[in-house]
Amino acid sequence: MSKDLPKGLSFYPPSSPWGINFGGGVDSTTVIIECINRGHRPDWILFADTGSERPETLAHVAEMNKFIRNMNKVTTKDWPEITIVRWVRKDGSFESVHDNCLRTGQLPSKAYGFAGCTSKWKIQPMDRWRKIHGFQHGAFAVGYNASEHRRIKTACQRGDEPNFTAWYPLVAWGITREDCEKIVKSHEFNVIKSSCFMCPNMRKEEWIDLKHNHRKLFETAKLIEERAFSNGNYGRGGGGLYKNSLSNLSKEEIIDNENSILEDRCHHGGCFT
């Protein structure tokens, strides 16, 4: 690899100590698997729980910790388990993304073209955990895959934080999205799209899937939409968070899309995949 490439595209962890930002999706699951296979042991693995995760994502985090524990029993790798962190107020209280939306009558910030939910509920609690545990510098691995040319270019142009290097191991190793799916499938993990259940980036078929499989969460998302719209908060472009309007998703559409395969699109700058 050329010496002129950013440190984030190195074959090996570019700094020490280092950890993994785990998002619970296909790509970050592949990061863990491939780091194990290649002998790269992190000092920490963090998953930031927004309080609005889909149940399948939380179940997968638990399954990955079981996978790591079982590996540690039969090898000498001694990997750290995934630590779940949350954003909390100074008084120690916690408010989920969806509860915040309901209280303020606003859509998630991505609907307005911002990344406040990522910064507050994902990045800040990870930064806080590292600071508390004495990790003031180093690197963290992020699950971009080698198919994401635009996102990789943007990330490299953005550069690193003052004390931490963002490392993109899947890109450095040439592992594409298709490769990630094969690797995860070979370990028989059930991995779904990693995002909050009311994320503005969700597609119509994903809303239909939510309505079919998690009706209570879907109704909560509808309530967020109703309260925001009643306050005149329609999101960027005036289309609102749910551009197809949640109330228009029919029973027939749910049946037609029941077996659709949903794409994982939540990333750093989003939610760490």
Side-chain angles (χ1 to χ4, degrees):
M1 172 136 334
S2 170
K3 294 181 180 180
D4 296 326
L5 287 176
K7 291 190 295 182
L9 296 181
S10 64
F11 284 109
Y12 307 98
S15 301
S16 182
W18 72 280
I20 296 173
N21 287 358
F22 183 64
V26 170
D27 294 346
S28 61
T29 297
T30 304
V31 169
I32 289 180
I33 294 171
E34 284 301 303
C35 281
I36 290 173
N37 292 341
R38 296 165 189 260
H40 303 312
R41 180 194 179 278
D43 295 284
W44 70 84
I45 311 173
L46 299 180
F47 173 80
D49 178 11
T50 65
S52 303
E53 310 293 337
R54 290 176 63 118
E56 294 92 339
T57 299
L58 296 177
H60 179 57
V61 173
E63 185 66 20
M64 287 302 296
N65 268 338
K66 181 180 178 182
F67 172 73
I68 292 171
R69 286 194 297 270
N70 289 339
M71 177 198 65
N72 286 336
K73 288 179 182 178
V74 298
T75 69
T76 58
K77 296 182 185 294
D78 190 29
W79 262 52
E81 292 187 26
I82 300 166
T83 298
I84 298 176
V85 297
R86 280 184 161 192
W87 172 83
V88 293
R89 298 186 180 95
K90 290 182 179 179
D91 63 5
S93 62
F94 172 76
E95 183 179 50
S96 68
V97 180
H98 68 273
D99 282 334
N100 179 267
C101 291
L102 290 170
R103 178 176 60 82
T104 61
Q106 299 278 340
L107 304 173
S109 65
K110 289 183 183 295
Y112 307 104
F114 303 111
C117 40
T118 297
S119 175
K120 184 173 182 176
W121 278 274
K122 289 288 186 181
I123 297 175
Q124 288 185 27
M126 289 185 172
D127 287 346
R128 184 172 184 270
W129 184 95
R130 287 195 296 262
K131 184 177 181 180
I132 290 173
H133 290 82
F135 297 112
Q136 305 293 337
H137 61 85
F140 51 81
V142 179
Y144 288 9
N145 66 67
S147 305
E148 301 178 284
H149 306 293
R150 180 186 59 80
R151 182 168 278 114
I152 296 161
K153 181 179 179 180
T154 301
C156 291
Q157 291 173 341
R158 182 171 60 236
D160 296 322
E161 299 176 12
N163 298 319
F164 282 90
T165 297
W167 180 39
Y168 308 100
L170 302 181
V171 180
W173 300 332
I175 297 177
T176 65
R177 175 67 182 196
E178 183 179 358
D179 296 330
C180 290
E181 291 170 347
K182 291 179 180 178
I183 290 168
V184 168
K185 185 177 180 180
S186 72
H187 285 77
E188 299 183 347
F189 290 129
N190 180 29
V191 187
I192 68 162
K193 177 185 186 293
S194 60
S195 78
C196 294
F197 69 85
M198 14 56 74
C199 179
N201 289 338
M202 289 169 59
R203 295 175 176 172
K204 185 175 181 179
E205 61 266 26
E206 293 166 344
W207 289 117
I208 294 169
D209 178 83
L210 184 71
K211 184 176 182 180
H212 180 71
N213 292 304
H214 298 289
R215 188 58 180 251
K216 288 184 68 175
L217 297 183
F218 179 82
E219 293 300 330
T220 299
K222 275 186 65 178
L223 185 58
I224 290 173
E225 176 185 71
E226 291 166 3
R227 289 190 181 180
F229 285 12
S230 68
N231 290 332
N233 297 319
Y234 298 105
R236 185 170 55 180
L241 172 57
Y242 314 114
K243 295 180 180 179
N244 294 292
S245 183
L246 299 187
S247 61
N248 293 334
L249 300 182
S250 69
K251 183 177 181 180
E252 289 73 21
E253 288 174 313
I254 293 173
I255 295 173
D256 290 342
N257 290 275
E258 183 174 350
N259 297 315
S260 63
I261 299 174
L262 306 184
E263 180 188 3
D264 180 342
R265 294 185 318 284
C266 219
H267 300 278
H268 172 64
C271 303
F272 309 111
T273 78

